[in-house]
Amino acid sequence: MSKAEYDAFLAGCPSRQLLDRITDKWVTLVLAALRSDGSHRFGADCAGDPRPRRYSELFRTLPGVSQKMLTQTLRALERDGLVTRTVEPTVPVTVTYELTPLGLSLLKTIQGLKLWAETHMDDVFANRAAYDSRV
């Protein structure tokens, strides 16, 4: 397919697979964490400049993610060219992850989606409760 032919509404379009990848919650949170300064106070929108982060930093930043899921997510992001993985021959070995230019181009959209979810969660809870009371 040529670039002009990509149409995510078509079942066989590869852009559909990419949408599936980038809308995964762990992908969204990993990309946002690579932009984050590590502060998670209410209303913080992943402040700071993008910087390399060690695997252990990412793991601590994302409570609830398993080591297996974080590893799979990082490998998929590296394969898609959204992050780079750097191994430094220290004792123990230091592995860092960093956004690529392609990953940075997606970051604003990802941050907007994360912020929208945080901003509108109370509205969603209210709508869920109203719906559940009718059903």
Side-chain angles (χ1 to χ4, degrees):
M1 290 183 129
S2 72
K3 185 175 183 176
E5 296 175 18
Y6 293 137
D7 182 351
F9 285 111
L10 300 175
C13 184
S15 65
R16 187 179 277 197
Q17 294 171 348
L18 183 57
L19 278 173
D20 185 48
R21 164 100 62 238
I22 63 177
T23 58
D24 175 83
K25 76 175 175 187
W26 293 120
V27 167
T28 299
L29 293 172
V30 165
L31 292 175
L34 287 169
R35 172 65 165 85
S36 174
D37 65 3
S39 64
H40 295 288
R41 63 193 180 281
F42 182 75
D45 186 25
C46 299
D49 293 323
R51 65 176 181 84
R53 305 272 311 257
R54 293 180 65 176
Y55 180 93
S56 58
E57 287 180 278
L58 290 170
F59 188 70
R60 282 191 306 272
T61 301
L62 302 168
V65 70
S66 67
Q67 289 184 347
K68 179 181 177 183
M69 181 54 65
L70 180 56
T71 298
Q72 287 175 347
T73 300
L74 288 165
R75 283 183 183 156
L77 290 171
E78 183 181 10
R79 182 173 184 248
D80 288 343
L82 299 172
V83 301
T84 57
R85 178 179 184 263
T86 303
V87 179
E88 298 174 31
T90 57
V91 179
V93 172
T94 302
V95 179
T96 57
Y97 296 88
E98 185 172 14
L99 292 169
T100 64
L102 186 61
L104 284 167
S105 72
L106 176 60
L107 189 59
K108 188 168 187 152
T109 301
I110 292 293
Q111 287 177 305
L113 184 59
K114 177 185 169 288
L115 182 60
W116 184 93
E118 293 167 346
T119 301
H120 295 285
M121 198 64 239
D122 287 339
D123 298 326
V124 171
F125 279 143
N127 287 313
R128 286 178 183 174
Y131 177 88
D132 292 345
S133 69
R134 293 189 310 263
V135 177

